[in-house]
Amino acid sequence: MNHPASRVPYVSYDPTRHLLLTPQDDEAPARVARLRALGIGDHPLPAFDRFARKLAHTTRAPYSMVNFIDEHRQYFAGLYTPAEDRAVELGPAPASARPGRVMDRDHGYCPHVIVRRKALVLEDVCDYPRFAGNPVVDEIGIRSYLGAPLIDRTGMALGTVCVVDLEPRPWGREGLATIKAMAAELVEQIHQMEQQQREAR
């Protein structure tokens, strides 16, 4: 007879309760302050769009993002989508933001990456009950995700870089190594931006 404490509870997905599946992010207020100090806010940055394009080409993924997350939403300061190199519609955008740049915090997998502070590989999101019920699966058709956190010199997880596909993708160890290396490259770029801001003062 199993002791109740030894049982692992199974939690099925309930669309009315999916907010509970998004991890609590206690660092969000401090992160927002750090991003503001770096001059990174809720606006597109050409350098980040160029990086997103490079990331997509490197991984051969159709969509890629440089994503910053606050208490309530995600903002793609860098975004690449094929065909027209324009923002893909990933959720409602307020009038003050460029269309396709904003997504609710409970959508997608970057909130998990930033709280875990570790890269996340989902070759087929449908293989993971916790992630298969995320709204982006039904609303956008995302089937595969690869992302890594942007951890700066202060130890703050500033955001994420990620790629997604509408088909399952065998990212493998090579994909994991690539996304980590690209995240480190972008963090160094952010540090250079910070240094340039200091020198300009």
Side-chain angles (χ1 to χ4, degrees):
M1 179 175 177
N2 291 331
H3 190 279
S6 66
R7 295 174 185 163
V8 178
Y10 173 76
V11 180
S12 61
Y13 174 67
D14 178 349
T16 66
R17 301 181 63 206
H18 66 264
L19 283 170
L20 298 178
L21 300 181
T22 303
Q24 183 173 334
D25 184 2
D26 295 328
E27 282 193 345
R31 179 185 315 115
V32 170
R34 172 72 173 140
L35 290 171
R36 287 175 180 167
L38 290 168
I40 299 172
D42 56 353
H43 54 277
L45 292 178
F48 290 168
D49 277 343
R50 289 192 295 270
F51 188 90
R53 183 181 298 109
K54 176 181 177 181
L55 177 59
H57 291 170
T58 300
T59 59
R60 298 181 181 179
Y63 306 99
S64 64
M65 301 92 173
V66 177
N67 188 10
F68 299 102
I69 305 170
D70 63 21
E71 297 97 325
H72 308 293
R73 65 176 189 166
Q74 305 174 66
Y75 188 82
F76 304 123
L79 183 60
Y80 173 84
T81 187
E84 299 181 39
D85 269 6
R86 62 178 175 80
V88 63
E89 295 296 335
L90 289 176
S96 60
R98 185 168 157 182
R101 295 276 178 172
V102 176
M103 192 162 69
D104 290 340
R105 186 180 171 272
D106 62 304
H107 283 48
Y109 310 108
C110 288
H112 295 270
V113 171
I114 206 164
V115 171
R116 286 162 37 107
R117 301 170 63 88
K118 293 181 180 179
L120 178 63
V121 181
L122 300 173
E123 296 188 341
D124 186 343
V125 299
C126 293
D127 289 340
Y128 304 87
R130 182 180 186 187
F131 298 122
N134 193 279
V136 297
V137 177
D138 292 334
E139 294 178 12
I140 305 171
I142 289 176
R143 285 291 300 276
S144 187
Y145 173 91
L146 178 66
L150 300 168
I151 300 177
D152 77 347
R153 61 177 182 79
T154 70
M156 176 68 66
L158 298 177
T160 67
V161 291
C162 72
V163 293
V164 299
D165 203 330
L166 305 184
E167 301 290 340
R169 284 283 297 271
W171 302 111
R173 292 185 178 180
E174 182 180 353
L176 179 60
T178 297
I179 200 70
K180 288 181 176 181
M182 296 292 283
E185 179 180 331
L186 185 56
V187 168
E188 181 57 33
Q189 186 175 329
I190 291 171
H191 289 161
Q192 291 174 3
M193 291 168 51
E194 183 180 27
Q195 183 62 33
Q196 291 170 358
Q197 291 171 4
R198 288 176 178 172
E199 293 173 354
R201 289 174 188 157

